[in-house]
Amino acid sequence: MRRASAGFWLTAGTLLSSQLAIATATAQSGDLLKMQANAADVVMPTMTYDNQRYSTLDQITAQNVGKLQVAWTFSTGVLRGHEGAPLVIGNVMYVHAPFPNTVFALDLDHDGKILWKYEPKQDPNVIPVMCCDTVNRGLAYADGKLFLHQADTTLAAIDAKTGKVVWSVKTGDPGKGETGTGAPMIVKDKVYVGVSGGEFGVRGWVTAYSVADGKQIWRAWSEGTDSDLLVDPQKTTELGKPIGADSSLKTWQGDQWKIGGGATWGWYSYDPALNLIYYGSGNPSTWNPKQRPGDNKWSMTIFARDADTGMAKWVYQMTPHDQWDYDGVNEMILADQQINGQTVPTLVHFDRNGLGYTLNRATGELLVAAKYDPAVNWTTGVDMNKGSPNYGRPNVVGKYAPGVAGEDVNSQGICPAALGSKDEQPAAYSPDTKLFYVPTNHVCMDYEPFRVSYTAGQPYVGATLSMYPPSGETNMGNFIAWDATTGKIVWSDPEQFSVWSGALATKGGVVFYGTLEGYLKAVDAKTGKELYKFKTPSGIIGNVVTYEHGGKQYVAVLSGVGGWAGIGLAAGLTDPHDGLGAVGGYAALNNYTALGGTLTVFSLPSN
């Protein structure tokens, strides 16, 4: 660990005048359980620990949302993909940007005046090892500090009053392809971070550091020995049964697990009653499935871990021996739901593989697994027979399984594409309607695996892809309402391009999301009827949030096209096969938006 005073600068003349402005933001010492209950603020990247992305603010309703107007805007000064969302704590908003991961503190009492700016000095050589754009998914807050996992895997704790670095620690090695793109999460005295780099043969992990000083407390790997995994062979279960000794090692050939992928760059959630954190692991490396026979555990897995010790209580591997790059890192939404007349503590997960899962988050019992995009064809569904030896496994359709016919054979018409029926863009849940609101991709692919050799820090992909809408269709996305107790779509709104923005549900009966063309949209939570839209300066891949300031409700979203879907625009790529196939699939996006980096804030008119 190193202590740092360099790597940042303060906007001249603002510190003295800003002390009073930030006092509210740091008066509370990090009791996030209490702070998250205040709907006026946005205190964590998931809004609340349950990841529902639901707000009890209700000034903006289905009846008046059509009157929304732009209240103010702010440019980050950075191009490429703007994922994540700002934090709002008291009268201060904290805004982040993609590489070089600039952070701004804005005074909400003075029209967004810049209180301070943190601009880390990072080696630009990290950019080529960032798989799918130079994104960052946001900041965490606790104990008067902001936490940023930088692209170069530096975890920085930043004083929320001044922007000065309190401590920093290097979590990984970009020279091996490890990068930081995910948002940290904080529970009690620990800050958790994961790692990106599955396309470079990294071995995924989640690590807990001390909020106070950055000391590493534990690290849990996605593959490896039982001690590396932080599992108990007899007490850690999958679908109710102990996983047994060497559960990961037995599913890899030789030492392949050491470069096995399973990256952990998605979202984290937490159940304080169970003291469990939840997250998913990503694709195994390489993308050529012929080179890694076996189930490749525990890539593509939902983990439930003790928040204090990191020990896994239960796991569930959704896509054994992943042949499609269906990362399992998407968010885990925690909600108590009525199933068969009983209230069940559920975990709901919309996986890249196109299946929506509902599990008992206390036990890991699988309750529902169903397609949330009708185009999904690589599987006929999950075996739900508890007496079957294949219980919990997807039934794979060989025609759409790359590698089955061998290497250098192009499997065509696979749905969904590698970017999944949903990527990291998080869904929302409304306890009012009991529905989940899911931004989806409606995209298929051709997939041709080829043999590839591993070299540290070099791409370790081993497949060529093409992407396109399902046969006979033109829309590449849908925004849907989903009943997780039955596994059914309630309504579906088509979009020309994938919906790559995180959703927001509100007590006002309105659901918000953004589009790749740049529209912020508001729809009726019950019917999906469009109630409002406004085109922001660039495509939206950020997550919509709402907050209250001065007694007034605001809605905020980052625009700045990029991410995997927008990588052609973001990186200036033109070969249709570049961007792992996304450049060709989203070529038409160039006709609708351009690069940008803007925060747009909306409110109802004062009169």
Side-chain angles (χ1 to χ4, degrees):
M1 184 179 73
R2 72 181 188 278
R3 296 190 177 272
S5 57
F8 66 92
W9 59 275
L10 302 175
T11 304
T14 62
L15 273 180
L16 291 177
S17 63
S18 69
Q19 297 299 324
L20 181 61
I22 304 183
T24 305
T26 55
Q28 301 182 66
S29 61
D31 188 351
L32 292 175
L33 273 174
K34 293 180 180 178
M35 293 177 70
Q36 69 165 354
N38 177 14
D41 290 347
V42 181
V43 300
M44 60 185 70
T46 56
M47 292 184 61
T48 49
Y49 276 131
D50 54 25
N51 221 328
Q52 292 183 7
R53 298 186 183 270
Y54 169 83
S55 175
T56 57
L57 297 181
D58 60 0
Q59 286 184 12
I60 299 171
T61 67
Q63 288 70 43
N64 64 24
V65 68
K67 299 179 181 178
L68 276 186
Q69 58 188 25
V70 175
W72 57 280
T73 63
F74 177 79
S75 172
T76 66
V78 182
L79 301 179
R80 303 196 68 157
H82 283 60
E83 289 184 345
L87 299 183
V88 178
I89 302 168
N91 53 0
V92 179
M93 175 183 283
Y94 300 99
V95 180
H96 72 287
F99 185 92
N101 304 137
T102 320
V103 178
F104 301 88
L106 306 180
D107 185 350
L108 296 178
D109 287 337
H110 295 88
D111 300 322
K113 177 183 178 183
I114 299 173
L115 298 170
W116 54 255
K117 175 182 178 182
Y118 168 72
E119 193 168 30
K121 306 305 179 185
Q122 301 184 68
D123 187 340
N125 286 327
V126 73
I127 294 176
V129 293
M130 300 185 78
C131 155
C132 309
D133 204 7
T134 59
V135 298
N136 184 281
R137 296 181 187 89
L139 305 161
Y141 171 86
D143 196 28
K145 295 186 283 287
L146 298 169
F147 297 84
L148 169 70
H149 199 203
Q150 298 170 186
D152 65 359
T153 71
T154 297
L155 176 62
I158 306 164
D159 189 296
K161 289 183 179 180
T162 66
K164 294 182 178 180
V165 175
V166 180
W167 58 256
S168 68
V169 60
K170 203 66 176 292
T171 70
D173 182 0
K176 297 179 180 179
E178 293 181 308
T179 54
T181 62
M185 185 182 75
I186 294 168
V187 174
K188 293 180 278 192
D189 61 345
K190 298 177 183 65
V191 50
Y192 309 98
V193 294
V195 66
S196 300
E199 283 60 61
F200 291 83
V202 308
R203 181 164 67 119
W205 46 257
V206 167
T207 308
Y209 295 91
S210 166
V211 165
D213 58 13
K215 178 182 178 182
Q216 182 174 317
I217 299 172
W218 53 257
R219 171 165 288 188
W221 299 86
S222 300
E223 302 93 4
T225 65
D226 291 343
S227 59
D228 279 355
L229 293 169
L230 294 188
V231 296
D232 184 318
Q234 300 307 316
K235 294 182 180 179
T236 303
T237 61
E238 182 181 31
L239 299 176
K241 296 181 179 180
I243 59 174
D246 299 327
S247 59
S248 175
L249 298 181
K250 292 175 180 177
T251 66
W252 291 88
Q253 190 173 68
D255 288 341
Q256 286 183 337
W257 57 271
K258 294 181 179 179
I259 53 172
T264 49
W265 48 270
W267 306 97
Y268 304 86
S269 50
Y270 171 60
D271 185 330
L274 297 172
N275 198 38
L276 294 176
I277 61 170
Y278 305 90
Y279 68 93
S281 61
N283 59 285
S285 296
T286 160
W287 286 24
N288 179 358
K290 297 295 288 186
Q291 289 185 241
R292 46 170 176 79
D295 279 357
N296 309 135
K297 298 181 184 299
W298 292 98
S299 65
M300 317 302 291
T301 296
I302 299 173
F303 286 88
R305 293 190 180 276
D306 184 281
D308 299 322
T309 67
M311 184 64 66
K313 180 175 182 181
W314 60 261
V315 294
Y316 171 56
Q317 188 179 41
M318 297 164 289
T319 316
H321 185 58
D322 171 38
Q323 296 161 260
W324 308 267
D325 181 47
Y326 290 155
D327 266 13
V329 301
N330 292 352
E331 73 286 352
M332 313 295 164
I333 305 174
L334 314 183
D336 294 343
Q337 299 186 84
Q338 291 292 316
I339 298 179
N340 296 327
Q342 295 185 329
T343 301
V344 179
T346 67
L347 175 155
V348 176
H349 170 77
F350 299 96
D351 198 66
R352 285 253 291 268
N353 68 15
L355 299 173
Y357 295 88
T358 304
L359 297 96
N360 184 314
R361 66 178 181 267
T363 65
E365 179 187 2
L366 181 62
L367 304 171
V368 176
K371 300 176 183 181
Y372 63 94
D373 183 344
V376 172
N377 64 12
W378 71 274
T379 177
T380 58
V382 173
D383 189 337
M384 298 296 287
N385 179 5
K386 292 184 177 181
S388 168
N390 293 317
Y391 172 53
R393 297 175 68 98
N395 300 307
V396 175
V397 179
K399 176 183 177 181
Y400 302 118
V404 168
E407 295 169 328
D408 303 314
V409 175
N410 192 22
S411 297
Q412 299 179 309
I414 304 168
C415 307
L419 41 68
S421 292
K422 190 180 84 62
D423 203 281
E424 60 77 35
Q425 61 271 38
Y429 170 73
S430 170
D432 304 319
T433 63
K434 307 294 192 295
L435 296 176
F436 293 78
Y437 301 96
V438 192
T440 74
N441 311 315
H442 193 55
V443 185
C444 303
M445 69 175 172
D446 299 342
Y447 189 117
E448 182 176 344
F450 60 86
R451 188 153 293 266
V452 63
S453 298
Y454 172 78
T455 301
Q458 297 299 312
Y460 188 51
V461 179
T464 300
L465 279 66
S466 300
M467 299 186 189
Y468 42 83
S471 178
E473 301 185 58
T474 57
N475 66 300
M476 299 179 71
N478 295 292
F479 188 74
I480 70 168
W482 176 262
D483 185 335
T485 66
T486 62
K488 302 292 184 183
I489 296 173
V490 177
W491 51 255
S492 179
D493 292 343
E495 289 288 348
Q496 180 175 358
F497 298 104
S498 295
V499 186
W500 210 273
S501 152
L504 167 71
T506 71
K507 193 172 182 60
V510 182
V511 178
F512 295 91
Y513 67 96
T515 75
L516 278 172
E517 305 102 301
Y519 286 103
L520 173 78
K521 291 191 174 184
V523 299
D524 187 286
K526 294 180 180 178
T527 66
K529 178 183 177 182
E530 185 177 297
L531 303 172
Y532 175 81
K533 71 175 182 178
F534 177 89
K535 194 168 187 182
T536 63
S538 184
I540 297 176
I541 63 170
N543 306 327
V544 190
V545 294
T546 187
Y547 66 95
E548 185 179 287
H549 180 250
K552 190 170 188 177
Q553 182 181 355
Y554 294 85
V555 174
V557 68
L558 286 165
S559 66
V561 72
W564 192 354
I567 191 64
L569 267 172
L573 304 176
T574 57
D575 187 317
H577 296 288
D578 281 348
L580 303 172
V583 173
Y586 293 86
L589 192 56
N590 290 272
N591 299 326
Y592 294 89
T593 192
L595 295 180
T598 303
L599 175 79
T600 307
V601 181
F602 302 81
S603 67
L604 294 172
S606 297
N607 298 319

